Amino acid sequence: MRETLVIDPAVEPLLRANGLGDFESWFTWNTGERLSKAKLPSWRQRWRIALRDEQGETHTFYLKRFVNPPFRERLRRRLEGSSRLSTAGMEAQNARELREAGVSATRVAACGEQMQGGRELRSFILLAEVPGESLEKWVPRELPPVQRETDPQLRRARLDALARLIARLHTAGFVHRDLYLSHVFINVNDEPDNTYTLIDLQRVFTPVPWRRRRWVIKDLAALDASTPTDRVGVRERLRFLARYVRQCPHFGTAHALAARIAARNG
């Protein structure tokens, strides 16, 4: 059995001071808010935890735990060329590689796995809280319809910054595979180019070149389908694609991409 544990040195004192040091402690921890979804399988757990430092300041993290994933998950990792990594290990690697490629992604505070050959026994990943909130919540509440916009220049800057982020993702060879508004965080206190962060990176991968266009269209279609039509109209969606193509021209013109997205979303 192979057991690995990696902790970011920047947060290691905080984690150890709160009892999160040895491998076993990550699986016995039960203080915080357990985040449940109706379709979340029993072998997966998600927690929101708050840890205090010596100065009394609170730091929020998200802990994901995976215990004895079923055979289909092991098969999926093998087919994607990641059989040596655990479920948590895949997300940690994706986060690191995206950040190295200049794509704003959630930061990994700690990660550990127990592997027996290619079989994952247990794994966990601790993710630092991302500033801001998801576009899924922010857009319907804060983004006015186009005809009511009071600051169109800021609106365009935010739209263009999002297009550049997605273009960087795809230019680097990655696709997200769950690129919905719920997985893009916005921090309005930052400059437009630092506004967005990608989260939920477990399914990120690098498709083979001859399949890449298909996966890119799927990403763009997911983003388009999850964006409310009463907040972002057809012209703005085309502008988004035009800005995307300016940075990532490999998959067709803005009009060609729009047609493929429309065909996919029906």
Side-chain angles (χ1 to χ4, degrees):
M1 181 178 68
R2 172 173 60 86
E3 181 177 296
T4 60
L5 174 61
V6 179
I7 300 177
D8 182 348
V11 296
E12 186 169 5
L14 170 68
L15 299 179
R16 292 193 181 280
N18 282 272
L20 291 168
D22 64 277
F23 190 93
E24 193 64 32
S25 66
W26 295 96
F27 292 91
T28 57
W29 180 272
N30 60 4
T31 302
E33 178 186 0
R34 184 165 179 178
L35 306 174
S36 299
K37 283 185 177 180
K39 295 183 179 180
L40 193 68
S42 59
W43 60 274
R44 302 178 61 177
Q45 288 186 15
R46 300 186 308 154
W47 293 78
R48 180 189 291 116
I49 65 177
L51 304 178
R52 288 186 178 273
D53 60 23
E54 294 179 349
Q55 289 72 42
E57 184 178 350
T58 299
H59 304 264
T60 302
F61 298 89
Y62 291 84
L63 174 64
K64 298 181 181 181
R65 295 194 291 224
F66 311 96
V67 178
N68 195 25
F71 173 76
R72 67 178 180 274
E73 289 299 313
R74 301 200 300 272
L75 179 61
R76 180 179 66 83
R77 293 203 320 275
R78 183 177 296 276
L79 293 175
E80 293 175 4
S82 301
S83 59
R84 64 182 180 82
L85 293 173
S86 65
T87 309
M90 288 179 64
E91 184 162 5
Q93 176 177 273
N94 291 338
R96 183 184 69 253
E97 291 182 348
L98 288 182
R99 292 170 70 89
E100 289 173 352
V103 179
S104 179
T106 185
R107 182 172 63 85
V108 178
C111 183
E113 60 186 21
Q114 282 181 339
M115 304 288 289
Q116 193 167 53
R119 180 188 174 195
E120 175 183 352
L121 303 179
R122 296 188 297 179
S123 68
F124 80 89
I125 186 170
L126 184 72
L127 301 167
E129 183 179 42
V130 175
E133 63 180 326
S134 71
L135 284 177
E136 181 183 47
K137 296 178 180 178
W138 186 86
V139 166
R141 190 189 70 241
E142 299 292 342
L143 190 67
V146 179
Q147 61 271 24
R148 300 179 191 170
E149 180 58 68
T150 58
D151 192 347
Q153 186 174 357
L154 178 60
R155 183 183 180 106
R156 285 195 297 270
R158 286 178 174 158
L159 186 73
D160 292 353
L162 180 59
R164 288 192 292 271
L165 172 67
I166 306 307
R168 283 196 297 273
L169 173 75
H170 292 157
T171 299
F174 300 100
V175 292
H176 191 284
R177 289 201 287 179
D178 286 310
L179 193 58
Y180 304 103
L181 290 191
S182 58
H183 297 149
V184 183
F185 265 54
I186 181 171
N187 180 11
V188 296
N189 296 320
D190 247 330
E191 293 298 318
D193 268 337
N194 299 319
T195 296
Y196 301 104
T197 303
L198 296 179
I199 69 166
D200 205 352
L201 309 175
Q202 186 179 321
R203 280 165 42 85
V204 169
F205 87 126
T206 304
V208 293
W210 57 89
R211 299 277 284 172
R212 190 166 293 162
R213 184 190 300 271
R214 171 185 179 273
W215 287 106
V216 164
I217 297 299
K218 184 177 183 296
D219 266 3
L220 295 174
L223 195 63
D224 179 80
S226 62
T227 301
T229 55
D230 65 332
R231 301 298 174 183
V232 182
V234 174
R235 291 183 64 182
E236 278 196 310
R237 290 169 194 252
L238 190 59
R239 176 188 171 88
F240 170 87
L241 291 174
R243 294 300 181 269
Y244 169 87
V245 167
R246 184 176 295 178
Q247 302 291 322
C248 184
H250 318 296
F251 305 108
T253 66
H255 286 281
L257 288 174
R260 287 176 176 270
I261 291 168
R264 185 174 184 90
N265 287 340

